[in-house]
């Protein structure tokens, strides 16, 4: 795990720069210059494109991590691996983009009552599908080659800086709504091209391939994996977009915009996973390919614990300051309606941090087909829970439905990991971290509230942050965290 932490430092640094830019953009630029309705429209266009793009990948992103170790050979152009990862998404686009067009009438009807704006931008989704599809493939290919810093820079910094320009052009009335959506989509096209240029610098770009390299057994395994993944993705990707789509359809783009901002605040908690998981996945893939289950299980526990520590700490900082956050942001009185969305989404992200790496183990094992058995049941649960909870509790109901489906999904996944792979992410450190979070929340509740929300934010963050960090270190929650802290302290002493 030490090598994972060292190789994640650059990406983590980039992530936090990107997070800072994203936070400023979302909390101060988007909320000031974009009406909630346009925030909702932008989000629905993006999520619709992401849904189609994910299906159109035909499992290429997962296949890259699973099968790259079989093809890996820099001297021989990785045995034509690039050809296959370019062709599969192309085939997927040829299947799912026409399907999207064929479903135009029911899709338009779904949004027509409260979100009629989507009708005007139905076809604009198609280029975004292509951009998101190949951007993701190129990024995963770079991760497989153990290069994660630059992909993170493109995703977390480059794109967000461009989007600041997009939002300002629209907010200052230099572009109209059509121009806003066009420049928004073009930003992702530039990101795809930047990622393509980068992988051309770090990996062989030859499209030469030898079909004989793929043995019948490997071909059968790849085909089965792709078919099962597509079937599973059909349910899981729809499940991931249900909340926003059903809010847009039932409550309108204004509510979707409020939900989007609140959801964003909640997802800040998962930032550490964006650094640790990509660099850990190739390592666990290699270990499982070599039959080294001891290393794979050890990595599982360490990834889970360290992601929980980082995510839990971020959740604390956000939740103790949630009222201050809404007081600080422009038009915060509008977006304050999403306060409990932040809480429920934040809790779901903590649970995900603890358990989600199990899906990586399943994906690289012979039990990958198990995910298909429950994904459609979860999709049904997601539809039912959103249908029941949104009319009752509005956007809060959608967040509760997300938390419920997240818990059911991850617990079932963990059951598979425990029964079939014999791996368990829960350690003594996990229990210690739960206790630290509970105690910190309790102490925060006892702190007096200052009238000045900037002052309240700073003093509350200092007290709870110091208490939490000290408890993690002196409580020896994680050997890796303590080791990293000791090395930093040692360097500071030398200077």
């Amino acid at each position: 795990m030490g090598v994972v932490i060292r190789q994640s430092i650059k990406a983590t640094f980039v992530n936090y720069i990107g997070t800072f830019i994203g936070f400023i953009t979302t909390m101060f630029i988007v909320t000031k210059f974009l009406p909630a309705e346009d925030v909702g429209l932008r989000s629905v266009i993006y999520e619709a494109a992401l849904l189609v793009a994910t299906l159109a990948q035909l499992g290429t992103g997962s296949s890259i991590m699973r099968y790259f170790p079989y093809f890996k050979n820099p001297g021989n152009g990785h045995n034509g691996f690039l050809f296959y990862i370019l062709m599969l998404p192309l085939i997927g686009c040829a299947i799912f983009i026409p399907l999207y067009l064929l479903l135009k009438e029911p899709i338009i009807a779904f949004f027509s009552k409260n979100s009629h704006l989507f009708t005007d931008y139905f076809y604009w989704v198609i280029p975004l599908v292509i951009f998101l599809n190949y951007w993701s493939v190129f990024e995963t290919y770079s991760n497989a080659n153990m290069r994660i810093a630059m992909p993170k820079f493109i995703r977390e910094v480059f794109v967000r800086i461009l989007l600041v320009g997009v939002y300002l052009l629209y907010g200052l009335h230099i572009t109209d709504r059509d121009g806003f959506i066009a420049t928004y989509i073009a930003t992702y096209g530039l990101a795809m091209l930047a990622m393509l240029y980068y992988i051309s610098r770090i990996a062989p770009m030859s499209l030469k391939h030898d079909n004989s390299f793929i043995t019948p057994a490997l071909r059968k395994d790849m085909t089965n994996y792709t078919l099962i993944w597509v079937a599973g993705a059909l349910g899981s990707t729809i499940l991931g977009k249900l909340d926003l789509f059903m809010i847009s359809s039932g409550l309108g783009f204004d509510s979707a915009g409020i939900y989007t901002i609140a959801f964003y605040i909640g997802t800040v908690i998962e930032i550490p996973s964006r650094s640790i998981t990509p660099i850990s996945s190739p390592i666990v893939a290699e270990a499982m390919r070599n039959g080294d289950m001891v290393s794979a299980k050890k990595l599982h526990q360490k990834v889970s614990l360290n992601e929980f520590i980082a995510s839990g700490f971020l959740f604390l900082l956000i939740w103790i300051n949630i009222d201050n956050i809404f007081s600080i942001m422009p038009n915060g009185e509008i977006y304050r309606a999403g306060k409990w969305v932040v809480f429920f989404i934040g809790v779901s992200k903590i649970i995900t941090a603890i358990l989600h790496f199990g899906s990586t183990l399943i994906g690289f094992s012979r039990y990958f087909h198990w995910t298909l058995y429950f994904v459609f049941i979860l999709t049904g649960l997601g539809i039912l829970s959103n249908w029941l909870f949104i009319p009752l509790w509005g956007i809060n109901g959608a967040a509760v439905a997300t938390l419920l489906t997240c818990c059911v999904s991850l617990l079932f996944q963990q059951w598979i990991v425990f029964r079939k792979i014999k791996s368990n992410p829960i350690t003594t450190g996990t229990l210690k971290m739960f206790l630290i979070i509970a105690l910190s929340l309790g102490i925060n509740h006892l702190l007096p509230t200052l009238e000045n929300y900037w002052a309240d934010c700073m003093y509350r963050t200092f007290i709870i942050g110091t208490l939490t960090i000290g408890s993690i270190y002196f409580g020896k929650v994680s050997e890796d965290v303590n080791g990293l802290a000791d090395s930093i302290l040692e360097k500071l002493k030398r200077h």
Side-chain angles (χ1 to χ4, degrees):
M1 187 63 187
V3 66
V4 174
I5 289 182
R6 289 196 301 271
Q7 294 185 47
S8 298
I9 289 176
K10 286 184 180 179
T12 301
F13 181 67
V14 170
N15 267 337
Y16 283 110
I17 294 176
T19 299
F20 176 75
I21 297 171
F23 181 83
I24 297 298
T25 302
T26 303
M27 307 304 290
F28 296 100
I29 296 178
V30 171
T31 56
K32 181 176 178 61
F33 291 106
L34 270 65
E37 183 180 44
D38 286 316
V39 176
L41 173 63
R42 176 210 66 179
S43 300
V44 169
I45 289 174
Y46 176 85
E47 294 298 342
L50 185 61
L51 188 155
V52 179
T54 303
L55 296 173
Q57 280 189 28
L58 298 179
T60 306
S62 298
S63 297
I64 288 172
M65 288 300 185
R66 180 179 175 87
Y67 295 107
F68 184 63
Y70 294 87
F71 288 80
K72 190 174 181 179
N73 186 340
N76 194 30
H78 294 319
N79 293 295
F81 192 67
L82 182 65
F83 171 80
Y84 298 108
I85 67 174
L86 291 178
M87 287 303 298
L88 274 176
L90 184 63
I91 294 170
C93 286
I95 296 171
F96 286 99
I97 289 178
L99 181 61
Y100 171 75
L101 296 174
L102 287 172
L103 294 174
K104 179 181 178 180
E105 288 190 12
I107 292 173
I108 293 300
F110 180 75
F111 288 104
S112 61
K113 183 178 179 181
N114 294 301
S115 306
H116 63 279
L117 275 177
F118 186 74
T119 304
D120 300 332
Y121 297 97
F122 178 84
Y123 294 105
W124 295 58
V125 169
I126 295 174
L128 187 56
V129 168
I130 297 170
F131 297 153
L132 293 176
N133 191 347
Y134 277 102
W135 179 24
S136 177
V137 169
F138 296 152
E139 184 178 47
T140 307
Y141 185 51
S142 179
N143 292 340
N145 281 276
M146 304 298 288
R147 301 291 185 91
I148 66 172
M150 184 55 69
K152 289 297 176 187
F153 175 82
I154 293 172
R155 179 174 292 276
E156 305 294 342
V157 178
F158 177 71
V159 168
R160 285 175 171 167
I161 290 175
L162 291 180
L163 288 177
V164 169
V166 170
Y167 299 143
L168 289 177
L169 287 173
Y170 183 51
L172 297 174
H173 307 293
I174 298 173
T175 58
D176 57 10
R177 182 175 280 150
D178 285 353
F180 165 56
I181 298 300
T183 50
Y184 179 78
I185 293 173
T187 296
Y188 291 96
L190 291 174
M192 179 197 71
L193 293 176
M195 198 63 246
L196 174 62
Y197 174 75
Y198 180 68
I199 64 169
S200 73
R201 308 294 297 177
I202 65 167
M205 292 296 289
S206 174
L207 295 178
K208 293 182 179 179
H209 62 287
D210 181 5
N211 286 329
S212 62
F213 175 79
I214 303 179
T215 64
L218 181 59
R219 181 180 291 108
K220 180 180 179 181
D221 189 58
M222 292 175 66
T223 302
N224 290 339
Y225 184 80
T226 299
L227 291 175
I228 289 174
W229 194 96
V230 170
L234 184 62
S236 61
T237 53
I238 292 174
L239 180 64
K241 319 302 175 189
L242 271 176
D243 49 1
L244 183 63
F245 292 157
M246 294 186 75
I247 289 172
S248 301
S249 173
L251 304 177
F253 278 144
D254 286 338
S255 293
I258 295 170
Y259 184 81
T260 296
I261 298 300
F263 193 92
Y264 167 79
I265 298 172
T267 55
V268 169
I269 294 164
E270 69 181 0
I271 289 171
S273 301
R274 300 176 192 170
S275 300
I276 299 175
T277 298
I279 197 64
S280 302
S281 295
I283 297 173
V284 77
E286 190 71 31
M288 295 189 72
R289 177 175 178 263
N290 296 331
D292 186 2
M293 294 306 299
V294 173
S295 296
K297 292 175 183 178
K298 185 177 181 181
L299 185 65
H300 182 202
Q301 289 188 335
K302 288 180 176 288
V303 168
S304 173
L305 176 59
N306 291 322
E307 286 192 5
F308 177 35
I309 291 171
S311 299
F313 182 67
L314 286 176
F315 173 78
L316 273 175
L317 294 186
I318 289 172
W319 189 245
I320 65 175
N321 288 300
I322 190 62
D323 290 319
N324 293 324
I325 290 171
F326 286 116
S327 296
I328 291 170
M329 75 163 64
N331 298 309
E333 66 278 2
I334 296 174
Y335 293 100
R336 193 181 296 274
K339 174 180 176 178
W340 286 99
V341 171
V342 176
F343 178 81
F344 291 120
I345 296 301
V347 172
S348 74
K349 296 304 177 183
I350 288 179
I351 296 171
T352 300
I354 298 171
L355 299 178
H356 84 103
F357 199 70
S359 65
T360 304
L361 294 181
I362 295 173
F364 296 142
S365 73
R366 66 179 186 273
Y367 303 108
F368 63 87
H369 59 279
W370 274 78
T371 55
L372 182 63
Y373 297 157
F374 69 97
V375 69
F376 291 112
I377 297 175
L378 289 174
T379 302
L381 175 62
I383 294 172
L384 179 62
S385 58
N386 276 281
W387 180 72
L388 289 174
F389 297 159
I390 290 176
L392 287 175
W393 304 313
I395 59 176
N396 292 333
V400 172
T402 298
L403 175 59
L404 174 63
T405 53
C406 173
C407 289
V408 173
S409 171
L410 290 171
L411 288 174
F412 187 86
Q413 170 192 285
Q414 181 52 40
W415 178 79
I416 296 173
V417 172
F418 184 75
R419 290 293 301 272
K420 299 296 182 180
I421 305 178
K422 311 299 182 186
S423 184
N424 178 18
I426 307 300
T427 64
T428 303
T430 309
L431 302 179
K432 288 181 180 179
M433 190 60 196
F434 269 119
L435 181 61
I436 290 171
I437 291 175
L439 289 174
S440 297
L441 288 174
I443 293 172
N444 175 70
H445 185 69
L446 298 176
L447 295 177
T449 301
L450 304 183
E451 291 185 10
N452 185 298
Y453 44 77
W454 283 103
D456 186 80
C457 180
M458 288 187 286
Y459 108 93
R460 195 174 295 276
T461 299
F462 176 77
I463 292 174
I464 299 300
T466 302
L467 174 66
T468 304
I469 292 173
S471 298
I472 292 170
Y473 181 78
F474 292 106
K476 297 181 180 179
V477 176
S478 166
E479 292 180 1
D480 298 300
V481 171
N482 275 43
L484 184 61
D486 288 339
S487 66
I488 292 173
L489 291 173
E490 185 64 30
K491 289 179 182 178
L492 291 175
K493 288 179 181 178
R494 293 198 205 112
H495 295 286

